[in-house]
């Protein structure tokens, strides 16, 4: 299938929205992505012809629901090249996935054991480990950042000792767009017998992931950031790693046998999916990932690289603008945070919104990163493969207008 | 189209930064953050015999936040704790409502924020310095 950005854009009805009578220019994909027609159709199909509960009843609708739900699990497994779908745990999102791991794996750690994160982490991969530290006495360490917004891996040898049990970092930064050098992390982790969790929320929308090649133990991502509904996400755990984790949430569906005296818990993903899951949302996620799996990624990569080059040229030509992140297309996705001296992100993004251009201004749930660069926040433009050059031209003109409007 | 919230008066107030600084002899100091955007306002004041004698603020925030802090810096010295509460409540009510406002004496410059009414996402920016001021006053009580 040849990549055609116009055809792709045609699948997203919401892109036809008008803001103050002006066509929407959506550049906030790192916050959330729109859903294409095929995902909406999958949701509609489930709710109108297959809605039943899963893993419970045996009637026609329940069976239909179960098959659709497990197909979604297969589709998620395929997208990240999991060895089996048994390794895919459906959660309500990346935050829930990481909290699940922090509590489950965390219950197996002892005081003095070490967990290494980074100062670039989204709060969802920062706070759960702080809470674990506060309640269990693990030692929490953080990898610092370079001037161009990457993890400073020169400190890895000092930070990762033989007490390290887990390194938990983002696959891609939601602020800087920088792609982490995962191989360097996994190599160091393996040398001390530590496991690795990647927060893949920002990586997944930019192409299929290969957890086998990455060599990590856990991978988390969210549906709403990859063209799927809210309220669904995945925690992938390598089979042998997942098998050792105790349950976190308890209730129906995660047990084999419950009695007053003792319980036995289900195996694989089942142990971690207590209660009725977000079935429709999972099916929507499966549909989105299946669609994405079959896109022409080599062409999309070339398209995104062109968008990155064009955006960087505009940002570099804007006076007093500092890019918070890498200043090249190498090892980064099209997420751009920037600071303009004397102009607050909130003011800039408000005026861009008045021109139909959607950015996010603020700390992006990454306040430790903001502290590193002594900022309260940045303006952030985050593109997807449905964005095109017109969006960038509008952004350039809109930013110029906003700066002029704010000038005294 | 929404009203222009960045009119000249707002931009001038923000640029003037009236009252910006540090008050080492303060008997109350407060720092507050806007959790949505990370804006930060610090207020120090000297309040004696129920009257604000001096105030200073540091603002890392948007134009609206800075302009609001400037108005505080211009007018608040001489105000009582009760006056500060009444002004905050009047400002919050104005932002939520759509009726004309009979501003309290000396505080008529708050009318510059009337265009912000329709922009609910920006109400917090205007109110943050006043919330910090209220919290600082409460510390002296």
């Amino acid at each position: 299938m040849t990549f055609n950005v116009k055809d792709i854009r045609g699948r997203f009805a919401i892109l036809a929205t008008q803001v103050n009578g002006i066509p929407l220019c959506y550049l906030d994909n790192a916050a959330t992505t729109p859903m294409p027609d095929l995902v909406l159709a999958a949701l509609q199909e489930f709710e109108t012809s297959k809605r039943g509960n899963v893993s419970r009843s045996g009637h026609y609708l329940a069976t239909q629901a179960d098959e659709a739900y497990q197909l979604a699990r297969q589709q998620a497994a395929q997208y990240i090249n999991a060895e089996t779908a048994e390794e895919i745990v459906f959660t309500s999102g990346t935050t829930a996935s990481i909290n699940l791991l922090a509590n489950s794996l965390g219950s197996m750690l002892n005081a003095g054991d070490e967990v290494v994160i980074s100062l670039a982490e989204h709060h969802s991969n920062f706070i759960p480990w702080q809470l674990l530290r506060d309640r269990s006495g693990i030692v929490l360490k953080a990898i610092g950042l370079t001037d161009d917004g990457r993890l400073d891996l020169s400190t890895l040898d000092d930070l990762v000792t033989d007490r390290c049990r887990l390194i938990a970092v983002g696959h891609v930064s939601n602020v800087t767009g920088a792609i982490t050098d995962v191989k360097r992390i996994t190599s160091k982790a393996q040398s001390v017998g530590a496991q690795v969790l990647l927060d893949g929320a920002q990586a997944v929308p930019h192409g299929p992931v290969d957890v086998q090649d990455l060599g990590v133990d856990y991978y988390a991502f969210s549906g709403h950031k990859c063209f799927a509904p809210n309220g669904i996400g995945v925690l992938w755990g390598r089979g042998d790693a997942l098998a050792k984790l105790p349950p976190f949430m308890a209730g129906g569906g995660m047990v084999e046998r419950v009695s007053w005296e003792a319980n036995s818990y289900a195996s694989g993903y089942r142990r971690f999916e207590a209660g009725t899951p977000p079935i429709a949302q999972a099916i929507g996620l499966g549909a989105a990932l299946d669609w994405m799996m079959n896109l022409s990624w080599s062409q999309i990569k070339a398209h995104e690289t062109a968008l990155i080059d064009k955006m960087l040229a505009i940002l570099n030509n804007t006076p007093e603008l500092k890019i918070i992140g890498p200043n090249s297309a190498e090892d980064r996705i099209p997420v751009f945070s920037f600071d303009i001296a004397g102009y607050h992100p909130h003011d800039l993004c408000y005026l861009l919104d008045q021109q139909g251009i959607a950015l996010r201004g603020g700390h992006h749930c990454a306040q430790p990163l903001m502290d590193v660069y002594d900022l309260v926040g940045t303006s952030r433009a985050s593109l997807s493969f449905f964005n095109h050059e017109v969006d960038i031209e509008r952004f350039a003109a809109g930013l110029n207008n906003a700066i002029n409007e704010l000038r005294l | 189209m929404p009203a222009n919230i960045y009119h000249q008066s707002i931009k001038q107030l923000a640029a003037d930064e009236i009252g910006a600084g540090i008050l080492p002899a303060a008997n109350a100091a407060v720092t507050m953050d806007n959790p949505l955007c990370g804006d930060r306002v610090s207020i120090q004041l000297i309040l004696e015999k129920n009257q604000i004698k001096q105030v200073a603020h540091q603002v890392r925030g948007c134009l609206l936040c800075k302009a609001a802090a400037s108005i505080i810096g211009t007018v608040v010295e001489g105000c009582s704790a009760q006056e500060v509460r009444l002004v905050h409540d009047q400002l919050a009510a104005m932002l939520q409502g759509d009726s004309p406002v009979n501003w309290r004496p000396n505080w008529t410059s708050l009318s510059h924020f009337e265009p912000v009414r329709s922009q609910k996402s920006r109400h917090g920016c205007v109110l943050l310095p006043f919330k910090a001021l209220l919290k600082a006053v409460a510390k002296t009580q």
Side-chain angles (χ1 to χ4, degrees):
Chain A
M1 186 192 305
T2 302
F3 172 72
N4 181 300
V5 69
K6 190 175 170 196
D7 290 345
I8 292 280
R9 289 179 68 79
R11 307 205 72 156
F12 294 93
I14 203 166
L15 294 183
T17 300
Q18 302 249 314
V19 179
N20 297 324
I22 305 167
L24 173 68
C25 172
Y26 189 74
L27 303 180
D28 195 24
N29 292 284
T32 201
T33 51
M35 288 199 287
D37 50 6
L38 61 106
V39 172
L40 297 171
L43 293 170
Q44 173 92 351
E45 190 200 15
F46 172 74
E47 296 292 5
T48 57
S49 64
K50 297 183 180 180
R51 184 178 169 97
N53 209 334
V54 296
S55 303
R56 283 152 175 84
S57 308
H59 55 74
Y60 172 76
L61 280 181
T63 306
Q64 291 288 299
D66 216 41
E67 286 176 2
Y69 184 66
Q70 295 308 335
L71 174 61
R73 198 183 303 279
Q74 288 282 355
Q75 289 162 329
Q78 189 183 13
Y79 192 81
I80 63 170
N81 197 26
E83 197 167 310
T84 90
E86 287 283 321
E87 297 173 343
I88 299 290
V89 179
F90 282 132
T91 66
S92 62
T94 305
T95 301
S97 295
I98 296 174
N99 275 273
L100 187 167
L101 190 67
N103 280 275
S104 179
L105 177 68
S107 70
M108 297 163 64
L109 301 183
N110 301 307
D113 284 343
E114 296 175 354
V115 171
V116 176
I117 58 175
S118 89
L119 293 179
E121 298 313 307
H122 187 285
H123 294 166
S124 293
N125 194 32
F126 198 94
I127 303 170
W129 308 110
Q130 290 179 308
L131 294 179
L132 179 63
R133 173 200 61 198
D134 294 346
R135 66 174 180 267
S136 72
I138 62 139
V139 174
L140 189 59
K141 297 180 179 177
I143 301 166
L145 303 179
T146 62
D147 287 343
D148 67 341
R150 297 189 183 279
L151 302 195
D152 184 1
L153 298 183
S154 70
T155 61
L156 213 51
D157 285 342
D158 292 330
L159 286 169
V160 180
T161 72
D162 58 9
R163 289 299 308 261
C164 182
R165 297 291 174 258
L166 180 76
I167 304 176
V169 293
H171 191 174
V172 179
S173 167
N174 72 310
V175 176
T176 70
I179 300 174
T180 299
D181 183 350
V182 177
K183 294 288 173 79
R184 205 163 153 192
I185 300 239
T186 53
S187 173
K188 185 63 191 174
Q190 279 160 19
S191 75
V192 299
Q195 294 183 316
V196 177
L197 159 72
L198 285 186
D199 169 358
Q202 298 296 329
V204 163
H206 294 280
V209 171
D210 188 342
V211 292
Q212 310 305 328
D213 181 63
L214 288 171
V216 298
D217 303 279
Y218 309 101
Y219 198 89
F221 64 94
S222 294
H224 75 98
K225 294 200 200 277
C226 60
F227 315 103
N230 297 317
I232 185 69
V234 165
L235 174 68
W236 167 81
R238 197 165 39 76
D240 57 343
L242 207 64
K244 294 190 178 95
L245 294 180
F248 165 47
M249 297 273 288
M254 46 78 73
V255 286
E256 288 178 340
R257 177 80 172 94
V258 177
S259 72
W260 180 254
E261 293 77 22
N263 302 330
S264 58
Y265 297 105
S267 61
Y269 64 84
R270 296 163 200 80
R271 190 178 325 131
F272 307 103
E273 292 187 7
T276 295
I279 304 164
Q281 291 87 335
I283 289 163
L285 173 61
L289 294 175
D290 186 58
W291 172 62
M292 289 170 66
M293 194 74 199
N294 293 294
L295 295 175
S296 301
W297 283 102
S298 59
Q299 291 179 302
I300 291 175
K301 295 285 185 204
H303 173 68
E304 288 195 346
T305 300
L307 293 177
I308 290 170
D309 287 338
K310 204 170 164 84
M311 273 295 282
L312 288 176
I314 286 159
L315 296 174
N316 281 313
N317 279 316
T318 302
E320 303 293 331
L321 186 149
K322 181 176 165 54
I323 296 170
I324 310 301
N327 204 345
S328 78
E330 191 180 348
D331 294 328
R332 58 99 46 80
I333 61 168
V335 166
F336 308 90
S337 279
F338 58 91
D339 176 61
I340 306 180
Y343 296 90
H344 194 275
H346 219 162
D347 296 317
L348 287 171
C349 291
Y350 172 85
L351 288 170
L352 284 162
D353 176 54
Q354 297 303 300
Q355 302 171 78
I357 304 163
L359 266 68
R360 181 176 173 185
H363 55 63
H364 313 299
C365 301
Q367 287 182 295
L369 180 149
M370 296 300 155
D371 288 344
V372 168
Y373 299 116
D374 195 28
L375 296 167
V376 288
T378 69
S379 305
R380 183 188 69 185
S382 48
L383 281 63
S384 174
F385 52 76
F386 64 74
N387 289 113
H388 53 174
E389 286 202 1
V390 168
D391 290 328
I392 298 181
E393 287 156 11
R394 283 190 58 192
F395 166 75
L399 184 62
N400 195 49
N401 291 339
I403 291 170
N404 288 335
E405 175 83 20
L406 292 169
R407 194 173 286 131
L408 186 56
Chain B
M1 285 286 283
N4 177 24
I5 67 173
Y6 293 114
H7 48 86
Q8 195 65 13
S9 304
I10 287 288
K11 289 193 283 191
Q12 191 65 63
L13 278 165
D16 289 345
E17 293 188 297
I18 303 160
I22 296 173
L23 194 56
N27 57 4
V30 156
T31 295
M32 282 189 74
D33 297 292
N34 182 332
L36 286 180
C37 64
D39 282 357
R40 172 164 283 196
V41 170
S42 297
I43 295 231
Q44 298 104 45
L45 56 84
I46 297 173
L47 191 151
E48 290 168 354
K49 295 180 182 162
N50 197 34
Q51 198 177 66
I52 296 175
K53 301 290 189 198
Q54 270 187 276
V55 72
H57 58 75
Q58 305 98 52
V59 175
R60 293 188 77 180
C62 64
L63 276 187
L64 298 179
C65 196
K66 286 184 176 175
S70 255
I71 291 176
I72 288 173
T74 308
V75 185
V76 82
E77 287 174 6
C79 286
S80 66
Q82 293 80 1
E83 174 86 2
V84 166
R85 165 57 68 182
L86 287 169
V87 170
H88 165 274
D89 291 351
Q90 190 176 40
L91 178 61
M94 178 280 289
L95 289 170
Q96 292 291 333
D98 54 13
S99 308
V101 178
N102 193 13
W103 292 105
R104 297 184 66 77
N106 296 331
W107 292 96
T108 54
S109 55
L110 290 176
S111 64
H112 295 316
F113 294 116
E114 285 172 14
V116 184
R117 272 172 156 161
S118 60
Q119 308 303 305
K120 290 196 183 335
S121 67
R122 306 307 302 277
H123 292 182
C125 308
V126 176
L127 288 170
L128 185 62
F130 284 89
K131 289 190 183 305
L133 179 66
L134 270 182
K135 204 170 171 184
V137 165
K139 274 191 156 188
T140 67
Q141 308 292 288

